[in-house]
Amino acid sequence: MSTHNKESSTLRAASRGERLESLERGLRVLELFGQGASRAYSMIEVADQLRITRASALRILATLESLGYVRLDTRAYSLTPRVLNLGYSYLAALGFQNIVRPILLDLVKKTQETCSIGVLDAMEVVYVAREETRRIIRIDLNVGSRLPAHLNSMGRVLLSALPDAQLKALLRTIKLERLTKRSILDKNELRERIQRVRVQGYCYIDGEVDDRIAGLATPIRDRDGNTVAALNLSLGFDRYSPQAVESTLLAMVMDTTQQIEAILHRDIPLS
């Protein structure tokens, strides 16, 4: 047996003997919540479901809460958007950007507009894929860039997927500033617009952040119907009327979204 194989065998044997039970239980708790991302569990329910002591369940939930993966509301715990980072770390390792790039490039070719995919982290959108068109007006964004979610069409799509109580709590933490004459300065109006996105299934923002730019975004859902990301087109504000966006571009964006969802459902399960 070669030295490399001997070392691999030794490491495998050591790993079997060095299982970290607390970590294992913590991951089992996340898996429990992952069976229904909108479901909340009490500490007692977690203990009963996983057949662990209530003291262990409380320690695990308190740790996950301190790390930002779950939140406690009226004695019940629920997942936060931060858990999406775990799934997209896996996607990054598999080359997610390379997997979806041909699909995004096809949309860019058809529309001559920049296309992006983003995920939610608290009140920020994190860009996980982006393909740019060659235009004079460009925004300096790359994979890994972050923007405030409430100012971004992808962010509003992702926020619209949250339960109302969670959305309300997050909106309390933000400060609204006037960036253009179209910027929203009233939190109640902002919440109403986000809730409208939930009903219509897409978000169109025109000139709220930059009076030269509009944005169109749709949700990307996992096999259980949970919104895990969003797809966006950044549009030159004067290139399309709102009517043209709905009659022409929306169908293209939704078709691209469905292609990406088909890949995620088949090859890269997130749950």
Side-chain angles (χ1 to χ4, degrees), residues 196-256:
R196 195 181 310 154
V197 170
R198 183 186 301 164
V199 174
Q200 65 189 19
Y202 69 92
C203 178
Y204 176 66
I205 294 179
D206 54 351
E208 291 185 30
V209 181
D210 186 316
D211 56 17
R212 304 168 301 168
I213 302 294
L216 174 66
T218 55
I220 298 174
R221 297 183 173 95
D222 65 16
R223 63 181 64 190
D224 297 319
N226 302 309
T227 297
V228 295
L231 175 71
N232 157 271
L233 271 184
S234 296
L235 313 171
F237 182 61
D238 58 350
R239 281 173 51 78
Y240 302 92
S241 67
Q243 293 76 19
V245 169
E246 290 192 1
S247 64
T248 305
L249 294 179
L250 181 58
M252 295 183 188
V253 174
M254 287 185 166
D255 179 66
T256 301

Side-chain angles (χ1 to χ4, degrees), residues 45-66:
E45 288 176 317
V46 170
D48 291 345
Q49 288 279 341
L50 299 181
R51 297 182 180 180
I52 60 178
T53 66
R54 294 181 180 181
S56 293
L58 181 59
R59 285 195 299 271
I60 293 169
L61 289 167
T63 300
L64 292 174
E65 184 184 16
S66 70

Side-chain angles (χ1 to χ4, degrees), residues 102-113 115 132-133 233 252:
I103 300 174
L104 299 187
L105 285 173
D106 185 56
L107 182 60
V108 171
K109 182 178 179 181
K110 290 176 180 176
T111 63
Q112 295 301 302
E113 304 292 349
C115 181
E132 293 194 353
T133 188
L233 271 184
M252 295 183 188

Side-chain angles (χ1 to χ4, degrees), residues 58-99:
L58 181 59
R59 285 195 299 271
I60 293 169
L61 289 167
T63 300
L64 292 174
E65 184 184 16
S66 70
L67 294 173
Y69 291 112
V70 302
R71 65 166 43 85
L72 175 62
D73 294 308
T74 61
R75 302 180 68 180
Y77 293 86
S78 58
L79 291 179
T80 72
R82 187 178 182 84
V83 298
L84 296 176
N85 290 349
L86 300 176
Y88 273 90
S89 295
Y90 176 56
L91 290 182
L94 292 178
F96 174 69
Q97 187 178 12
N98 292 331
I99 292 172

